[in-house]
């Protein structure tokens, strides 16, 4: 694979921001935002202006703050921080008309990454959380020693951007400080996709592309040659205990010291479906690397248990019990707790180079189910909505999309072509009406996700959007609708289709839309997706920058200017969001999509053939056209039972009479039935 147009610049960048936010720290917050957790999960610190913290604050202001909170503000603060704008030095390009130089734009993304990394390195090195406004850090678990939550998650981004000195510092910390023998519970899914995935991706890139951020201590024969793989295997062995449930479905949590799994503290102890079914890419790649088939078998078994439930049209409820392998409730959605199950179906098929068609079959069934039950359209602009069925497929549709759902258009495009361009797919004879329809759906869903950004004052999407739809809703089966143009007019009618509720207007630096823009650009070749991404990147730089070059932060309120800031940098800002921006603006020969598969945390694995005894170890049970298991017909079963009983009666009548002998005397144990020869 070529690495053309790569920069080898390694210098640190200055902050370059002139205006100040004038905000200070409040109380300690919660854990980092989990990728798959619901949107109302407790966030990290939020910031308020200084005068709000003075002891002389009046009771009237307190009362107003309380009312604001009561009426749905995600933060009790309704006071806007001092407006922040970029300086005319490092970020002077914002807002100006420029000729398009994609290499230069990629360098701007690299600068944003360096600013974020250097702020973390300066103020919170080794901590799992980074609070760029207060310039401090915290461990995810108070009694823990640090999981490398930010450092390990960003390793492969450091490599892609050729940031050698920063990568060297990260490796030094891993060598001296990273130890996963920690006696506390962690989330099985998040630890797998971020930590295990990050280590495996770092191993792949460092071995396959030695010119990416080259370091002598990971060269062949050097003492640190296998650092990433050794850490990955140690962590994986500890995570395996999560699969020790009666069903084989992993527990939501795992103690890394005892390797003992534990059910969720909420949701009746159930695991989320996405969490249980999005560990497979990581464990299967590790099995291929090490030859340890146990990794493969434990992860693969989960999909069999899930599929044996025989859910209609391949659409699954969002909770599953590890104890029984059965689903809890009927809530079906592709947002939080459901999303990456579907993503990993097609990616498992691609990971093993198409040698496991069972996963393509599962993906096709689920995608057809999505189109049948979940695709609807907004009233005015006819935007395509991937909605929810909170009470099951036979009940009312809910026109709501988590930002998390925006992974789906890129995944649909990936499934349609396998990662090659549309032109390449056509030349290869692998393009037909089905692929055309799938790509049309991907295009429209991408536009809806783009609309979630355009409708907001900051140009940064909310965590959730609701939509106005017709009653009864117009479904895809009623005819596919083409969406109307999205323009910048503040009073455009298309804006009325989007409903952004007060509790949903925060922005957590999520990557899903830029992820889909990356896939759509690579597969369609349409530069419109790069332009959308550039506009999104400009909004992040303009509205989320922390003071003194400390990096970038989440927003507690993204639908007003200036926005209300939220003092937390998510690890996926470095691992996913900035990585996808960088790849979007990079040449297409950097990590071609038909040779890699990317996990749900944007960690990069190679595609491979089934070798070393690895194979698909299960088959699907027979099912009907709706995907439901074919069970024996009750009436036929009854007739068959009666026939067998009648035949048995006839045979019994032909047996010669036998004298009644006590069982003990006849040499038959009392708990066994007497044996009668009916021949």
């Amino acid at each position: 694979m070529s690495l053309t147009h790569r920069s080898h610049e390694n210098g640190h960048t200055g902050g370059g921001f002139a205006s100040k936010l004038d905000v200070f720290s409040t109380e300690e917050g919660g854990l980092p935002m989990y990728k798959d957790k619901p949107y109302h999960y407790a966030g990290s610190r939020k910031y308020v202006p200084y005068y709000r913290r003075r002891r002389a604050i009046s009771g009237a202001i307190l009362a107003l703050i309380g009312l604001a909170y009561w009426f749905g503000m995600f933060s009790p603060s309704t006071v806007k921080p001092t407006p922040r704008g970029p300086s005319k030095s490092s970020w002077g390009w914002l807002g100006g008309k420029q000729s398009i130089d994609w290499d230069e734009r990629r360098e701007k993304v690299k600068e944003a990454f360096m600013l974020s990394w250097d702020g973390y390195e300066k103020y919170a090195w080794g901590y799992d959380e980074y609070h760029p406004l207060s310039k401090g850090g915290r461990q995810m678990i108070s009694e823990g020693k640090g999981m490398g939550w930010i450092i390990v998650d960003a390793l492969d981004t450091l490599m892609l951007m050729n940031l050698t000195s920063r990568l060297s510092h990260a490796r030094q910390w891993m060598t001296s400080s990273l130890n996963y023998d920690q006696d506390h519970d962690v989330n099985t899914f998040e630890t797998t996709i971020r930590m295990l995935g990050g280590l495996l991706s770092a191993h792949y890139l460092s071995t396959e592309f030695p010119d990416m951020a080259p370091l002598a201590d990971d060269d062949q024969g050097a003492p640190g040659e296998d650092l990433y793989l050794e850490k990955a295997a140690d962590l994986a062995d500890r995570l395996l205990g999560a699969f020790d449930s009666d069903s084989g479905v992993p527990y939501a949590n795992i103690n890394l010291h005892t390797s003992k799994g534990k059910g969720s503290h909420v949701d009746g102890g159930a695991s989320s479906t996405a969490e249980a079914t999005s560990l497979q890419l990581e464990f299967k790649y590790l099995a291929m690397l090490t030859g340890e088939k146990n990794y493969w078998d434990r992860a693969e078994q989960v999909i069999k248990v899930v599929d044996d439930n025989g859910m209609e049209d391949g659409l699954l409820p969002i909770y599953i019990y590890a104890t029984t392998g059965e689903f809890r409730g009927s809530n079906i959605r592709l947002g939080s707790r459901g999303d990456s199950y579907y993503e990993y179906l097609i990616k498992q098929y691609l990971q093993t180079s198409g040698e496991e068609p069972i996963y393509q079959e599962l993906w096709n069934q689920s995608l057809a189910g999505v189109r049948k039950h979940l695709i609807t359209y907004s009233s005015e602009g006819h935007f395509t909505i991937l909605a929810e069925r909170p009470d099951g497929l036979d009940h009312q549709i809910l026109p709501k999309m988590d930002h998390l759902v925006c992974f789906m258009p890129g995944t649909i495009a990936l499934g349609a072509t396998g990662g090659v361009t549309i032109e390449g797919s056509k030349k290869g004879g692998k393009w037909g009406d089905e692929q055309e329809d799938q790509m049309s759906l991907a295009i429209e869903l991408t536009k809806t996700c783009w609309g979630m950004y355009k409708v907001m004052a900051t140009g940064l999407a909310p965590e959730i959007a609701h939509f106005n739809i017709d009653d009864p809703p117009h479904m895809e089966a009623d005819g596919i609708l083409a969406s109307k143009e999205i323009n910048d007019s503040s009073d455009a009618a298309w804006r009325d289709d989007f409903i952004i509720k007060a509790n949903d207007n925060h922005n957590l630096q999520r990557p899903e839309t830029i992820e889909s823009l990356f896939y759509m650009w690579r597969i369609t070749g349409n530069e419109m997706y790069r332009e959308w991404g550039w506009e999104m990147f400009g909004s992040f730089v303009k509205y989320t920058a922390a003071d003194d070059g400390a990096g970038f932060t989440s927003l507690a309120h993204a639908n007003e200017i200036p926005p209300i800031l939220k003092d937390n940098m998510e690890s996926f800002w470095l691992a996913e969001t900035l990585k996808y921006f960088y790849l979007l603006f990079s040449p297409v020969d950097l990590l071609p999509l038909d040779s890699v598969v990317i996990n749900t945390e944007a960690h990069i694995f190679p595609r491979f053939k089934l070798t070393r005894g690895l194979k698909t170890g299960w088959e699907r049970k027979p099912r009907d056209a709706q995907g439901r298991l074919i069970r024996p017909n009750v009436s036929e079963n009854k007739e068959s039972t009666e026939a067998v009983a009648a035949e048995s009666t006839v045979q019994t009548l032909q047996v010669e009479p036998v004298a009644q002998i006590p069982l003990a005397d006849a040499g038959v144990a009392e708990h066994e039935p007497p044996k009668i020869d009916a021949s």
Side-chain angles (χ1 to χ4, degrees), residues 85-202:
S87 71
K88 293 182 180 180
S89 55
S90 296
W91 308 97
W93 48 269
L94 276 174
K97 292 287 185 181
Q98 298 178 332
S99 59
I100 297 177
D101 183 335
W102 291 112
D103 289 340
E104 182 179 349
R105 291 183 172 186
R106 181 176 68 163
E107 286 303 301
K108 295 301 181 184
V109 176
K110 183 176 177 179
E111 288 178 27
F113 179 92
M114 291 191 295
L115 198 68
S116 301
W117 179 269
D118 293 349
Y120 168 71
E121 191 175 48
K122 181 177 182 179
Y123 299 115
W125 184 248
Y127 285 103
D128 294 326
E129 298 180 34
Y130 175 41
H131 307 298
L133 301 184
S134 56
K135 300 180 178 64
R138 195 172 70 122
Q139 298 300 9
M140 183 172 63
I141 305 295
S142 58
E143 66 271 21
K145 295 174 288 188
M147 294 278 292
W149 208 250
I150 292 174
I151 295 172
V152 173
D153 217 8
L155 288 171
D156 53 2
T157 312
L158 289 166
M159 293 177 182
L160 283 170
M161 295 183 178
N162 207 44
L163 298 173
T164 309
S165 63
R166 293 168 177 84
L167 179 64
S168 179
H169 191 198
R171 282 180 58 92
Q172 290 170 15
W173 179 86
M174 290 174 61
T175 301
S176 62
S177 302
L178 182 59
N179 183 354
Y180 287 119
D181 186 8
Q182 301 191 34
D183 193 10
H184 57 75
D185 296 338
V186 297
N187 180 272
T188 305
F189 163 76
E190 298 290 348
T191 305
T192 299
I193 65 168
R194 300 192 197 207
M195 300 298 92
L196 183 58
L199 291 165
L200 291 172
S201 182

Side-chain angles (χ1 to χ4, degrees), residues 133 239 278 322 325 332 379 452 475 493 514 542 600 644 663:
L133 301 184
L239 290 168
S278 304
I332 291 174
S379 298
M452 291 170 66
M475 305 299 291
I514 184 63
K542 185 174 183 179
T600 196
V644 171
L663 294 179

Side-chain angles (χ1 to χ4, degrees), residues 659-669 674:
Q660 298 296 314
I661 304 173
L663 294 179
D665 294 342
V668 181

Side-chain angles (χ1 to χ4, degrees), residues 4-76:
T4 57
H5 304 292
R6 293 190 49 75
S7 168
H8 293 270
E9 205 172 346
N10 242 330
H12 289 238
T13 180
F17 293 95
S19 57
K20 307 298 180 184
L21 288 175
D22 191 27
V23 288
F24 296 86
S25 175
T26 58
E27 71 281 2
E28 191 172 286
L31 297 179
M33 171 62 68
Y34 279 169
K35 179 182 176 71
D36 183 53
K37 286 295 184 288
Y39 22 85
H40 299 307
Y41 177 81
S44 301
R45 309 179 189 185
K46 307 179 183 72
Y47 266 67
V48 291
Y50 175 69
Y51 71 85
R52 286 278 316 280
R53 301 176 61 238
R54 301 182 59 180
R55 294 182 180 179
I57 190 168
S58 69
I61 295 178
L62 284 172
L64 288 173
I65 294 169
L67 284 172
Y69 183 84
W70 178 261
F71 281 104
M73 295 302 296
F74 198 75
S75 166

Side-chain angles (χ1 to χ4, degrees), residues 123-409:
Y123 299 115
W125 184 248
Y127 285 103
D128 294 326
E129 298 180 34
Y130 175 41
H131 307 298
L133 301 184
S134 56
K135 300 180 178 64
R138 195 172 70 122
Q139 298 300 9
M140 183 172 63
I141 305 295
S142 58
E143 66 271 21
K145 295 174 288 188
M147 294 278 292
W149 208 250
I150 292 174
I151 295 172
V152 173
D153 217 8
L155 288 171
D156 53 2
T157 312
L158 289 166
M159 293 177 182
L160 283 170
M161 295 183 178
N162 207 44
L163 298 173
T164 309
S165 63
R166 293 168 177 84
L167 179 64
S168 179
H169 191 198
R171 282 180 58 92
Q172 290 170 15
W173 179 86
M174 290 174 61
T175 301
S176 62
S177 302
L178 182 59
N179 183 354
Y180 287 119
D181 186 8
Q182 301 191 34
D183 193 10
H184 57 75
D185 296 338
V186 297
N187 180 272
T188 305
F189 163 76
E190 298 290 348
T191 305
T192 299
I193 65 168
R194 300 192 197 207
M195 300 298 92
L196 183 58
L199 291 165
L200 291 172
S201 182
H203 172 78
Y204 168 60
L205 293 183
S206 65
T207 54
E208 189 69 20
F209 306 102
D211 292 334
M212 284 186 179
L215 296 172
D217 63 347
D218 68 354
D219 288 347
Q220 188 173 1
E225 176 187 3
D226 295 323
L227 175 66
Y228 304 127
L229 187 56
E230 288 171 353
K231 292 288 186 183
D234 173 66
L235 178 58
D237 288 342
R238 299 176 187 280
L239 290 168
L240 278 178
F243 296 87
D244 289 337
S245 65
D246 289 342
S247 71
V249 171
Y251 288 106
N253 302 306
I254 180 73
N255 182 296
L256 292 179
H257 175 69
T258 64
S259 195
K260 184 174 178 58
K262 183 184 294 184
S264 173
H265 302 297
V266 294
D267 309 321
S271 302
S272 85
T273 301
E275 290 183 351
T277 57
S278 304
L279 316 169
Q280 286 65 34
L281 294 180
E282 296 79 8
F283 277 94
K284 291 170 106 173
Y285 178 38
L286 184 58
M288 192 278 291
L289 288 171
T290 64
E292 294 291 337
K293 192 170 181 292
N294 188 40
Y295 296 137
W296 182 285
D297 293 341
R298 301 298 292 276
E300 180 185 61
Q301 173 67 15
V302 179
I303 306 300
K304 178 186 186 306
V305 172
V306 166
D307 192 55
D308 281 353
N309 279 274
M311 302 310 296
E312 182 177 353
D313 290 326
L315 300 179
L316 311 185
I318 60 173
Y319 296 105
I320 186 168
Y321 289 109
T323 50
T324 64
E326 297 175 343
F327 290 108
R328 176 179 188 259
S330 303
N331 192 345
I332 291 174
R333 65 178 182 228
L334 272 75
S336 65
R337 301 190 178 278
D339 48 3
S340 49
Y341 162 72
Y342 304 94
E343 175 188 358
Y344 271 35
L345 292 180
I346 189 61
K347 288 184 176 180
Q348 284 184 83
Y349 171 70
L350 297 175
Q351 181 183 40
T352 51
S353 305
E355 293 187 339
E356 296 187 280
I358 193 170
Y359 295 107
Q360 185 181 48
E361 178 185 336
L362 287 165
W363 163 254
N364 288 337
Q365 180 187 8
S366 295
L367 181 57
V370 165
R371 303 184 71 166
K372 177 180 177 181
H373 298 285
L374 303 181
I375 295 297
T376 186
Y377 302 89
S378 65
S379 298
E380 174 61 33
H382 297 162
F383 295 108
T384 299
I385 303 162
L386 206 172
E388 302 179 0
R389 297 275 185 176
D391 300 312
L393 297 182
D394 295 331
H395 292 78
Q396 189 173 3
I397 197 169
L398 176 65
K400 162 181 169 285
M401 281 178 61
D402 296 357
H403 187 275
L404 288 164
V405 176
C406 289
F407 84 93
M408 190 61 172

Side-chain angles (χ1 to χ4, degrees), residues 532-550:
W532 288 0
W534 180 243
E535 185 173 332
M536 287 166 54
F537 177 69
S539 294
F540 276 115
V541 169
K542 185 174 183 179
Y543 293 113
T544 73
D547 200 13
D548 299 327

